[in-house]
Amino acid sequence: MRMFFRCRLLFTIFAFGLIATPSGMATDAGHTLLSDLITKERALFYAENPGSGPFDLPQPVAEKMQSVTEADQQRRRKAWQTLHDELDAIKTEGLSAEDTLNHQLMRYHLDAKLLFAKHKTWRLPLQSDSGFHTAPARIWHSINFNTQEDYAAYIAMLQDLPRFLAENTENLRKGLESGFSMPKVVLEGLLPSFDAMVIEDAFDSPFYGPFKGRLVNVSGANSLGLKGAAMAVIEGPVKAAYQQLATFMKETYYPQATSDLAASKRPGGKAYYADMVKYYTTLDVTANDVHDLGLSEVARIRAEMEEVIVQAGFKGSFAEFLAFLRTDPQFYAKTPKELLMHASYFAKIIDGKLPSLFGRLPRQSYGVEAVPDAIAPNYTTGRYLGAAPSGPRGGYYWVNTYALDKRPLYVLPSLTLHEGMPGHHLQIALTLELENVPEFRRALYPHAFGEGWGFYAEKLGIELGLYTTPYEEFGRLSYEMWRACRLVVDTGIHAKGWTRARAIKLLE
């Protein structure tokens, strides 16, 4: 089974875009129909996503947030279904190799849209560490502010933000009514992030970021006016909307949310989870297949960990070695800045070694940044944030500096390889630089490929000589073990009736 997964992953890597496919002769009719459909898909994307436009051109500054009501969701589903039907009607015989690949990838893209629409996942616009309420705070990082009108448009968007929050609140309410909610135990970690968005002083709000310092190409008097208008909307309707949302989450959503973890306990949950297994693996496999693979990987990785412990010269049991790693001060930074400095150090060491493995590297740079305080307590250890090619900044490798005693330094080499270079930044930035391909392909992110590439990048650290101590090698294996355990735990809980206690026991 493991070899089967790996062979399919290699196919996924080939099929989803790093290797150009030579063109052949195509039927004029099929080529024209496909080109027209691809153009219509982009037009739909721009219309449904305020602030979007062709990737290589400066993006317009949105004056409003996306509309997300149930009616909007139904309208989009109909539009995607129409495109899907048109795609089915295009005869693929005689298409060039390039058009055939575009056809296959457009099918994958539309299949995904329709799959999530089928299960009405818009009823749960939250993740375990963030969601619709945190994402708007970073919109301005992708905006090129060049004129007074740009700042005014951003303020207009802030004025529309309460409507966006209210629509998502109604979607959450519909989820409660239909038994599709986030479990209480997950919400307990997420709830503080709603209160964290309620900020008294606009100057301290992440929404005020564009107005700190000098405004680009804006006169002094107009600058004062724009800053005052921004403060007024942030301290007025925006703060009030977040207060209302936080109250709803604490007093309505949490009390009515499910106590069951398993997707199979939700209405239609078994079919939903089976579909998600196929979507995220891109394979025709079952939850049992994934579970069995996870168990075999846990056994393999545990054996490799035991070997590393011997190499480290540690005299003691596996549990004692873990206790040593979790408590010895040598493995932990004393300040957030120190942790960021270690992450940045590994990032630059990697940059200097990459030409030995890659003939082409992305033009776009990336930085290292702390996870914002508002979401850090419940956020993952690290994550990559991409950026538009025409944006004012590059990508970012986020490092969580909250709870420093839970952020060991020995995992930083593998974390940096995965999230930065040659992991997600190289992968995503190079995809954005693809030439002579439809734009939708440059934003496509099949998870099996994306996370598979990140895993591969961690292994490349061995060739790069980045793991210089047994502890750093153990850190690499720790992330492998974490992912393998997730295969077991996720399928165990959602498809096999596992309790939370049983899942925790596996992870101990």
mmCIF file of all heavy atoms in Angstrom, residues 244-290:
data_model
loop_
_atom_site.group_PDB
_atom_site.id
_atom_site.type_symbol
_atom_site.label_atom_id
_atom_site.label_comp_id
_atom_site.label_asym_id
_atom_site.label_seq_id
_atom_site.Cartn_x
_atom_site.Cartn_y
_atom_site.Cartn_z
ATOM 1 N N GLN A 244 -20.207 41.638 18.373
ATOM 2 C CA GLN A 244 -21.434 40.872 18.161
ATOM 3 C C GLN A 244 -21.105 39.434 17.776
ATOM 4 O O GLN A 244 -21.750 38.485 18.250
ATOM 5 C CB GLN A 244 -22.262 41.546 17.060
ATOM 6 C CG GLN A 244 -23.628 40.917 16.848
ATOM 7 C CD GLN A 244 -24.466 41.707 15.849
ATOM 8 O OE1 GLN A 244 -24.020 42.718 15.286
ATOM 9 N NE2 GLN A 244 -25.686 41.269 15.635
ATOM 10 N N LEU A 245 -20.082 39.264 16.926
ATOM 11 C CA LEU A 245 -19.675 37.923 16.510
ATOM 12 C C LEU A 245 -19.133 37.129 17.699
ATOM 13 O O LEU A 245 -19.484 35.951 17.882
ATOM 14 C CB LEU A 245 -18.606 38.023 15.421
ATOM 15 C CG LEU A 245 -17.965 36.703 14.968
ATOM 16 C CD1 LEU A 245 -19.015 35.751 14.411
ATOM 17 C CD2 LEU A 245 -16.866 36.985 13.922
ATOM 18 N N ALA A 246 -18.285 37.750 18.515
ATOM 19 C CA ALA A 246 -17.720 37.062 19.676
ATOM 20 C C ALA A 246 -18.821 36.635 20.644
ATOM 21 O O ALA A 246 -18.779 35.529 21.209
ATOM 22 C CB ALA A 246 -16.706 37.973 20.377
ATOM 23 N N THR A 247 -19.820 37.501 20.826
ATOM 24 C CA THR A 247 -20.942 37.155 21.698
ATOM 25 C C THR A 247 -21.724 35.972 21.141
ATOM 26 O O THR A 247 -22.102 35.043 21.873
ATOM 27 C CB THR A 247 -21.876 38.369 21.860
ATOM 28 O OG1 THR A 247 -21.153 39.436 22.460
ATOM 29 C CG2 THR A 247 -23.080 38.009 22.729
ATOM 30 N N PHE A 248 -21.967 35.987 19.833
ATOM 31 C CA PHE A 248 -22.676 34.869 19.194
ATOM 32 C C PHE A 248 -21.925 33.562 19.375
ATOM 33 O O PHE A 248 -22.525 32.526 19.702
ATOM 34 C CB PHE A 248 -22.861 35.158 17.700
ATOM 35 C CG PHE A 248 -23.295 33.959 16.899
ATOM 36 C CD1 PHE A 248 -24.618 33.539 16.913
ATOM 37 C CD2 PHE A 248 -22.371 33.236 16.144
ATOM 38 C CE1 PHE A 248 -25.020 32.415 16.178
ATOM 39 C CE2 PHE A 248 -22.762 32.118 15.415
ATOM 40 C CZ PHE A 248 -24.094 31.702 15.448
ATOM 41 N N MET A 249 -20.615 33.608 19.187
ATOM 42 C CA MET A 249 -19.829 32.375 19.287
ATOM 43 C C MET A 249 -19.861 31.818 20.707
ATOM 44 O O MET A 249 -19.950 30.602 20.908
ATOM 45 C CB MET A 249 -18.382 32.637 18.864
ATOM 46 C CG MET A 249 -18.205 32.955 17.379
ATOM 47 S SD MET A 249 -18.802 31.653 16.264
ATOM 48 C CE MET A 249 -17.765 30.277 16.735
ATOM 49 N N LYS A 250 -19.802 32.696 21.715
ATOM 50 C CA LYS A 250 -19.754 32.239 23.107
ATOM 51 C C LYS A 250 -21.130 31.865 23.645
ATOM 52 O O LYS A 250 -21.260 30.882 24.384
ATOM 53 C CB LYS A 250 -19.122 33.325 23.987
ATOM 54 C CG LYS A 250 -17.621 33.488 23.783
ATOM 55 C CD LYS A 250 -17.046 34.558 24.688
ATOM 56 C CE LYS A 250 -17.482 35.951 24.279
ATOM 57 N NZ LYS A 250 -16.779 37.017 25.063
ATOM 58 N N GLU A 251 -22.162 32.637 23.282
ATOM 59 C CA GLU A 251 -23.467 32.460 23.911
ATOM 60 C C GLU A 251 -24.440 31.617 23.090
ATOM 61 O O GLU A 251 -25.410 31.084 23.648
ATOM 62 C CB GLU A 251 -24.092 33.827 24.202
ATOM 63 C CG GLU A 251 -23.274 34.665 25.167
ATOM 64 C CD GLU A 251 -23.916 36.007 25.488
ATOM 65 O OE1 GLU A 251 -25.044 36.256 24.974
ATOM 66 O OE2 GLU A 251 -23.306 36.795 26.233
ATOM 67 N N THR A 252 -24.199 31.503 21.789
ATOM 68 C CA THR A 252 -25.116 30.739 20.936
ATOM 69 C C THR A 252 -24.432 29.544 20.289
ATOM 70 O O THR A 252 -24.882 28.402 20.449
ATOM 71 C CB THR A 252 -25.710 31.639 19.828
ATOM 72 O OG1 THR A 252 -26.405 32.730 20.437
ATOM 73 C CG2 THR A 252 -26.679 30.850 18.956
ATOM 74 N N TYR A 253 -23.335 29.805 19.583
ATOM 75 C CA TYR A 253 -22.730 28.721 18.803
ATOM 76 C C TYR A 253 -22.123 27.647 19.698
ATOM 77 O O TYR A 253 -22.418 26.444 19.541
ATOM 78 C CB TYR A 253 -21.663 29.281 17.858
ATOM 79 C CG TYR A 253 -21.231 28.284 16.797
ATOM 80 C CD1 TYR A 253 -21.984 28.131 15.635
ATOM 81 C CD2 TYR A 253 -20.088 27.514 16.950
ATOM 82 C CE1 TYR A 253 -21.600 27.220 14.648
ATOM 83 C CE2 TYR A 253 -19.697 26.598 15.982
ATOM 84 C CZ TYR A 253 -20.459 26.462 14.840
ATOM 85 O OH TYR A 253 -20.084 25.549 13.872
ATOM 86 N N TYR A 254 -21.294 28.053 20.639
ATOM 87 C CA TYR A 254 -20.623 27.063 21.489
ATOM 88 C C TYR A 254 -21.614 26.195 22.278
ATOM 89 O O TYR A 254 -21.492 24.968 22.294
ATOM 90 C CB TYR A 254 -19.638 27.746 22.427
ATOM 91 C CG TYR A 254 -18.919 26.786 23.344
ATOM 92 C CD1 TYR A 254 -17.854 26.017 22.898
ATOM 93 C CD2 TYR A 254 -19.341 26.619 24.667
ATOM 94 C CE1 TYR A 254 -17.205 25.116 23.737
ATOM 95 C CE2 TYR A 254 -18.709 25.728 25.511
ATOM 96 C CZ TYR A 254 -17.643 24.978 25.032
ATOM 97 O OH TYR A 254 -17.023 24.073 25.863
ATOM 98 N N PRO A 255 -22.606 26.796 22.928
ATOM 99 C CA PRO A 255 -23.539 25.952 23.696
ATOM 100 C C PRO A 255 -24.301 24.947 22.829
ATOM 101 O O PRO A 255 -24.654 23.864 23.299
ATOM 102 C CB PRO A 255 -24.503 26.968 24.315
ATOM 103 C CG PRO A 255 -23.721 28.231 24.396
ATOM 104 C CD PRO A 255 -22.871 28.229 23.157
ATOM 105 N N GLN A 256 -24.566 25.305 21.565
ATOM 106 C CA GLN A 256 -25.343 24.426 20.691
ATOM 107 C C GLN A 256 -24.478 23.526 19.819
ATOM 108 O O GLN A 256 -25.014 22.668 19.105
ATOM 109 C CB GLN A 256 -26.265 25.264 19.795
ATOM 110 C CG GLN A 256 -27.297 26.066 20.557
ATOM 111 C CD GLN A 256 -28.193 26.869 19.628
ATOM 112 O OE1 GLN A 256 -28.558 26.434 18.543
ATOM 113 N NE2 GLN A 256 -28.562 28.075 20.065
ATOM 114 N N ALA A 257 -23.186 23.715 19.848
ATOM 115 C CA ALA A 257 -22.296 22.917 19.002
ATOM 116 C C ALA A 257 -22.270 21.464 19.473
ATOM 117 O O ALA A 257 -22.553 21.158 20.630
ATOM 118 C CB ALA A 257 -20.886 23.510 19.022
ATOM 119 N N THR A 258 -21.913 20.591 18.549
ATOM 120 C CA THR A 258 -21.878 19.170 18.857
ATOM 121 C C THR A 258 -20.746 18.829 19.823
ATOM 122 O O THR A 258 -19.715 19.504 19.857
ATOM 123 C CB THR A 258 -21.699 18.347 17.567
ATOM 124 O OG1 THR A 258 -21.690 16.945 17.883
ATOM 125 C CG2 THR A 258 -20.381 18.681 16.871
ATOM 126 N N SER A 259 -20.958 17.795 20.611
ATOM 127 C CA SER A 259 -19.894 17.279 21.469
ATOM 128 C C SER A 259 -19.187 16.102 20.827
ATOM 129 O O SER A 259 -18.161 15.641 21.340
ATOM 130 C CB SER A 259 -20.483 16.847 22.830
ATOM 131 O OG SER A 259 -21.013 17.964 23.511
ATOM 132 N N ASP A 260 -19.734 15.623 19.717
ATOM 133 C CA ASP A 260 -19.127 14.501 18.991
ATOM 134 C C ASP A 260 -18.025 14.997 18.067
ATOM 135 O O ASP A 260 -18.200 15.988 17.354
ATOM 136 C CB ASP A 260 -20.169 13.756 18.156
ATOM 137 C CG ASP A 260 -21.153 12.973 19.007
ATOM 138 O OD1 ASP A 260 -20.701 12.394 20.010
ATOM 139 O OD2 ASP A 260 -22.350 12.963 18.676
ATOM 140 N N LEU A 261 -16.906 14.292 18.060
ATOM 141 C CA LEU A 261 -15.818 14.643 17.150
ATOM 142 C C LEU A 261 -16.036 14.086 15.755
ATOM 143 O O LEU A 261 -15.643 14.692 14.762
ATOM 144 C CB LEU A 261 -14.492 14.097 17.692
ATOM 145 C CG LEU A 261 -13.868 14.804 18.889
ATOM 146 C CD1 LEU A 261 -12.644 14.033 19.356
ATOM 147 C CD2 LEU A 261 -13.494 16.234 18.543
ATOM 148 N N ALA A 262 -16.639 12.931 15.638
ATOM 149 C CA ALA A 262 -16.655 12.172 14.386
ATOM 150 C C ALA A 262 -17.545 12.796 13.325
ATOM 151 O O ALA A 262 -18.703 13.148 13.587
ATOM 152 C CB ALA A 262 -17.098 10.741 14.648
ATOM 153 N N ALA A 263 -17.006 12.910 12.116
ATOM 154 C CA ALA A 263 -17.813 13.347 10.983
ATOM 155 C C ALA A 263 -18.943 12.367 10.722
ATOM 156 O O ALA A 263 -20.034 12.764 10.289
ATOM 157 C CB ALA A 263 -16.926 13.476 9.734
ATOM 158 N N SER A 264 -18.707 11.087 11.005
ATOM 159 C CA SER A 264 -19.722 10.068 10.747
ATOM 160 C C SER A 264 -20.959 10.249 11.609
ATOM 161 O O SER A 264 -22.012 9.677 11.303
ATOM 162 C CB SER A 264 -19.137 8.668 10.980
ATOM 163 O OG SER A 264 -18.642 8.537 12.300
ATOM 164 N N LYS A 265 -20.855 11.047 12.684
ATOM 165 C CA LYS A 265 -22.005 11.296 13.543
ATOM 166 C C LYS A 265 -22.890 12.433 13.018
ATOM 167 O O LYS A 265 -23.988 12.661 13.546
ATOM 168 C CB LYS A 265 -21.533 11.645 14.958
ATOM 169 C CG LYS A 265 -20.729 10.546 15.646
ATOM 170 C CD LYS A 265 -21.600 9.369 16.007
ATOM 171 C CE LYS A 265 -20.818 8.295 16.745
ATOM 172 N NZ LYS A 265 -20.367 8.726 18.087
ATOM 173 N N ARG A 266 -22.442 13.144 11.998
ATOM 174 C CA ARG A 266 -23.223 14.237 11.422
ATOM 175 C C ARG A 266 -24.197 13.679 10.380
ATOM 176 O O ARG A 266 -23.942 12.622 9.798
ATOM 177 C CB ARG A 266 -22.329 15.271 10.734
ATOM 178 C CG ARG A 266 -21.101 15.711 11.489
ATOM 179 C CD ARG A 266 -21.399 16.575 12.676
ATOM 180 N NE ARG A 266 -20.211 17.283 13.114
ATOM 181 C CZ ARG A 266 -19.301 16.789 13.949
ATOM 182 N NH1 ARG A 266 -19.418 15.564 14.402
ATOM 183 N NH2 ARG A 266 -18.278 17.524 14.334
ATOM 184 N N PRO A 267 -25.270 14.382 10.080
ATOM 185 C CA PRO A 267 -26.145 13.974 8.977
ATOM 186 C C PRO A 267 -25.367 13.957 7.663
ATOM 187 O O PRO A 267 -24.755 14.962 7.286
ATOM 188 C CB PRO A 267 -27.223 15.067 8.969
ATOM 189 C CG PRO A 267 -27.242 15.597 10.365
ATOM 190 C CD PRO A 267 -25.811 15.533 10.833
ATOM 191 N N GLY A 268 -25.360 12.821 6.982
ATOM 192 C CA GLY A 268 -24.604 12.691 5.745
ATOM 193 C C GLY A 268 -23.111 12.634 5.941
ATOM 194 O O GLY A 268 -22.345 12.728 4.978
ATOM 195 N N GLY A 269 -22.683 12.464 7.192
ATOM 196 C CA GLY A 269 -21.260 12.555 7.521
ATOM 197 C C GLY A 269 -20.400 11.448 6.954
ATOM 198 O O GLY A 269 -19.241 11.675 6.603
ATOM 199 N N LYS A 270 -20.937 10.226 6.866
ATOM 200 C CA LYS A 270 -20.141 9.120 6.333
ATOM 201 C C LYS A 270 -19.774 9.376 4.877
ATOM 202 O O LYS A 270 -18.618 9.168 4.464
ATOM 203 C CB LYS A 270 -20.902 7.809 6.481
ATOM 204 C CG LYS A 270 -21.019 7.331 7.916
ATOM 205 C CD LYS A 270 -21.720 5.977 8.009
ATOM 206 C CE LYS A 270 -21.813 5.508 9.462
ATOM 207 N NZ LYS A 270 -22.501 4.205 9.570
ATOM 208 N N ALA A 271 -20.752 9.810 4.087
ATOM 209 C CA ALA A 271 -20.481 10.110 2.677
ATOM 210 C C ALA A 271 -19.538 11.298 2.547
ATOM 211 O O ALA A 271 -18.644 11.312 1.690
ATOM 212 C CB ALA A 271 -21.794 10.399 1.947
ATOM 213 N N TYR A 272 -19.731 12.300 3.416
ATOM 214 C CA TYR A 272 -18.862 13.476 3.401
ATOM 215 C C TYR A 272 -17.418 13.079 3.667
ATOM 216 O O TYR A 272 -16.500 13.476 2.931
ATOM 217 C CB TYR A 272 -19.350 14.474 4.450
ATOM 218 C CG TYR A 272 -18.384 15.598 4.763
ATOM 219 C CD1 TYR A 272 -18.118 16.573 3.819
ATOM 220 C CD2 TYR A 272 -17.760 15.679 6.006
ATOM 221 C CE1 TYR A 272 -17.237 17.614 4.104
ATOM 222 C CE2 TYR A 272 -16.885 16.715 6.300
ATOM 223 C CZ TYR A 272 -16.631 17.679 5.347
ATOM 224 O OH TYR A 272 -15.748 18.697 5.628
ATOM 225 N N TYR A 273 -17.190 12.271 4.702
ATOM 226 C CA TYR A 273 -15.815 11.899 5.035
ATOM 227 C C TYR A 273 -15.195 11.025 3.949
ATOM 228 O O TYR A 273 -14.018 11.200 3.605
ATOM 229 C CB TYR A 273 -15.767 11.181 6.384
ATOM 230 C CG TYR A 273 -14.343 10.988 6.868
ATOM 231 C CD1 TYR A 273 -13.580 12.091 7.248
ATOM 232 C CD2 TYR A 273 -13.757 9.735 6.925
ATOM 233 C CE1 TYR A 273 -12.272 11.945 7.676
ATOM 234 C CE2 TYR A 273 -12.444 9.575 7.356
ATOM 235 C CZ TYR A 273 -11.709 10.676 7.727
ATOM 236 O OH TYR A 273 -10.408 10.539 8.130
ATOM 237 N N ALA A 274 -15.970 10.113 3.382
ATOM 238 C CA ALA A 274 -15.449 9.281 2.294
ATOM 239 C C ALA A 274 -15.026 10.143 1.110
ATOM 240 O O ALA A 274 -13.980 9.900 0.488
ATOM 241 C CB ALA A 274 -16.510 8.264 1.857
ATOM 242 N N ASP A 275 -15.815 11.167 0.813
ATOM 243 C CA ASP A 275 -15.457 12.086 -0.272
ATOM 244 C C ASP A 275 -14.197 12.878 0.067
ATOM 245 O O ASP A 275 -13.351 13.126 -0.805
ATOM 246 C CB ASP A 275 -16.611 13.059 -0.547
ATOM 247 C CG ASP A 275 -17.731 12.430 -1.366
ATOM 248 O OD1 ASP A 275 -17.504 11.338 -1.953
ATOM 249 O OD2 ASP A 275 -18.828 13.017 -1.430
ATOM 250 N N MET A 276 -14.065 13.297 1.322
ATOM 251 C CA MET A 276 -12.890 14.065 1.708
ATOM 252 C C MET A 276 -11.613 13.221 1.635
ATOM 253 O O MET A 276 -10.547 13.721 1.265
ATOM 254 C CB MET A 276 -13.059 14.629 3.122
ATOM 255 C CG MET A 276 -14.125 15.706 3.257
ATOM 256 S SD MET A 276 -13.837 17.179 2.231
ATOM 257 C CE MET A 276 -15.042 16.905 0.923
ATOM 258 N N VAL A 277 -11.708 11.951 1.992
ATOM 259 C CA VAL A 277 -10.542 11.062 1.888
ATOM 260 C C VAL A 277 -10.063 10.997 0.445
ATOM 261 O O VAL A 277 -8.857 11.108 0.163
ATOM 262 C CB VAL A 277 -10.893 9.648 2.407
ATOM 263 C CG1 VAL A 277 -9.790 8.652 2.039
ATOM 264 C CG2 VAL A 277 -11.081 9.677 3.927
ATOM 265 N N LYS A 278 -10.989 10.852 -0.482
ATOM 266 C CA LYS A 278 -10.615 10.777 -1.900
ATOM 267 C C LYS A 278 -10.096 12.121 -2.408
ATOM 268 O O LYS A 278 -9.148 12.168 -3.207
ATOM 269 C CB LYS A 278 -11.809 10.311 -2.732
ATOM 270 C CG LYS A 278 -12.193 8.850 -2.502
ATOM 271 C CD LYS A 278 -13.404 8.462 -3.338
ATOM 272 C CE LYS A 278 -13.631 6.955 -3.289
ATOM 273 N NZ LYS A 278 -13.913 6.454 -1.938
ATOM 274 N N TYR A 279 -10.712 13.216 -1.934
ATOM 275 C CA TYR A 279 -10.278 14.535 -2.398
ATOM 276 C C TYR A 279 -8.855 14.851 -1.931
ATOM 277 O O TYR A 279 -8.000 15.270 -2.731
ATOM 278 C CB TYR A 279 -11.234 15.619 -1.888
ATOM 279 C CG TYR A 279 -10.704 17.019 -2.106
ATOM 280 C CD1 TYR A 279 -10.647 17.574 -3.379
ATOM 281 C CD2 TYR A 279 -10.230 17.779 -1.041
ATOM 282 C CE1 TYR A 279 -10.150 18.853 -3.587
ATOM 283 C CE2 TYR A 279 -9.724 19.048 -1.236
ATOM 284 C CZ TYR A 279 -9.680 19.583 -2.510
ATOM 285 O OH TYR A 279 -9.162 20.844 -2.703
ATOM 286 N N TYR A 280 -8.579 14.654 -0.658
ATOM 287 C CA TYR A 280 -7.278 15.057 -0.132
ATOM 288 C C TYR A 280 -6.145 14.114 -0.527
ATOM 289 O O TYR A 280 -4.986 14.524 -0.560
ATOM 290 C CB TYR A 280 -7.349 15.213 1.387
ATOM 291 C CG TYR A 280 -8.021 16.504 1.803
ATOM 292 C CD1 TYR A 280 -9.306 16.516 2.320
ATOM 293 C CD2 TYR A 280 -7.375 17.726 1.633
ATOM 294 C CE1 TYR A 280 -9.934 17.707 2.673
ATOM 295 C CE2 TYR A 280 -7.993 18.925 1.979
ATOM 296 C CZ TYR A 280 -9.266 18.908 2.502
ATOM 297 O OH TYR A 280 -9.876 20.082 2.837
ATOM 298 N N THR A 281 -6.469 12.869 -0.833
ATOM 299 C CA THR A 281 -5.420 11.950 -1.300
ATOM 300 C C THR A 281 -5.301 11.942 -2.811
ATOM 301 O O THR A 281 -4.267 11.522 -3.340
ATOM 302 C CB THR A 281 -5.700 10.510 -0.833
ATOM 303 O OG1 THR A 281 -6.911 10.051 -1.424
ATOM 304 C CG2 THR A 281 -5.786 10.428 0.671
ATOM 305 N N THR A 282 -6.332 12.406 -3.518
ATOM 306 C CA THR A 282 -6.472 12.310 -4.984
ATOM 307 C C THR A 282 -6.440 10.853 -5.438
ATOM 308 O O THR A 282 -6.093 10.564 -6.577
ATOM 309 C CB THR A 282 -5.396 13.124 -5.747
ATOM 310 O OG1 THR A 282 -4.102 12.513 -5.583
ATOM 311 C CG2 THR A 282 -5.335 14.558 -5.291
ATOM 312 N N LEU A 283 -6.817 9.944 -4.561
ATOM 313 C CA LEU A 283 -6.791 8.511 -4.857
ATOM 314 C C LEU A 283 -8.156 7.886 -4.569
ATOM 315 O O LEU A 283 -8.925 8.395 -3.759
ATOM 316 C CB LEU A 283 -5.740 7.801 -3.996
ATOM 317 C CG LEU A 283 -4.306 8.311 -4.057
ATOM 318 C CD1 LEU A 283 -3.458 7.613 -3.003
ATOM 319 C CD2 LEU A 283 -3.721 8.099 -5.439
ATOM 320 N N ASP A 284 -8.429 6.789 -5.235
ATOM 321 C CA ASP A 284 -9.654 6.050 -4.982
ATOM 322 C C ASP A 284 -9.400 5.067 -3.847
ATOM 323 O O ASP A 284 -9.248 3.861 -4.046
ATOM 324 C CB ASP A 284 -10.104 5.314 -6.251
ATOM 325 C CG ASP A 284 -11.467 4.660 -6.078
ATOM 326 O OD1 ASP A 284 -12.182 5.039 -5.125
ATOM 327 O OD2 ASP A 284 -11.803 3.761 -6.874
ATOM 328 N N VAL A 285 -9.308 5.594 -2.634
ATOM 329 C CA VAL A 285 -9.003 4.785 -1.453
ATOM 330 C C VAL A 285 -10.066 5.023 -0.390
ATOM 331 O O VAL A 285 -10.822 5.993 -0.447
ATOM 332 C CB VAL A 285 -7.608 5.109 -0.880
ATOM 333 C CG1 VAL A 285 -6.514 4.713 -1.853
ATOM 334 C CG2 VAL A 285 -7.496 6.600 -0.525
ATOM 335 N N THR A 286 -10.092 4.150 0.588
ATOM 336 C CA THR A 286 -11.038 4.263 1.696
ATOM 337 C C THR A 286 -10.330 4.737 2.951
ATOM 338 O O THR A 286 -9.095 4.760 3.036
ATOM 339 C CB THR A 286 -11.690 2.900 1.987
ATOM 340 O OG1 THR A 286 -10.679 2.000 2.493
ATOM 341 C CG2 THR A 286 -12.311 2.314 0.727
ATOM 342 N N ALA A 287 -11.129 5.078 3.953
ATOM 343 C CA ALA A 287 -10.566 5.462 5.245
ATOM 344 C C ALA A 287 -9.762 4.311 5.844
ATOM 345 O O ALA A 287 -8.725 4.538 6.476
ATOM 346 C CB ALA A 287 -11.680 5.887 6.193
ATOM 347 N N ASN A 288 -10.212 3.087 5.638
ATOM 348 C CA ASN A 288 -9.469 1.931 6.153
ATOM 349 C C ASN A 288 -8.097 1.820 5.508
ATOM 350 O O ASN A 288 -7.113 1.477 6.174
ATOM 351 C CB ASN A 288 -10.258 0.640 5.918
ATOM 352 C CG ASN A 288 -11.375 0.454 6.924
ATOM 353 O OD1 ASN A 288 -11.333 0.979 8.025
ATOM 354 N ND2 ASN A 288 -12.401 -0.285 6.538
ATOM 355 N N ASP A 289 -8.013 2.099 4.202
ATOM 356 C CA ASP A 289 -6.720 2.069 3.508
ATOM 357 C C ASP A 289 -5.757 3.083 4.130
ATOM 358 O O ASP A 289 -4.578 2.784 4.380
ATOM 359 C CB ASP A 289 -6.891 2.389 2.019
ATOM 360 C CG ASP A 289 -7.685 1.331 1.269
ATOM 361 O OD1 ASP A 289 -7.603 0.149 1.640
ATOM 362 O OD2 ASP A 289 -8.387 1.694 0.293
ATOM 363 N N VAL A 290 -6.249 4.286 4.370
ATOM 364 C CA VAL A 290 -5.419 5.343 4.943
ATOM 365 C C VAL A 290 -5.008 4.974 6.368
ATOM 366 O O VAL A 290 -3.854 5.180 6.781
ATOM 367 C CB VAL A 290 -6.171 6.684 4.919
ATOM 368 C CG1 VAL A 290 -5.357 7.773 5.613
ATOM 369 C CG2 VAL A 290 -6.489 7.099 3.484
#
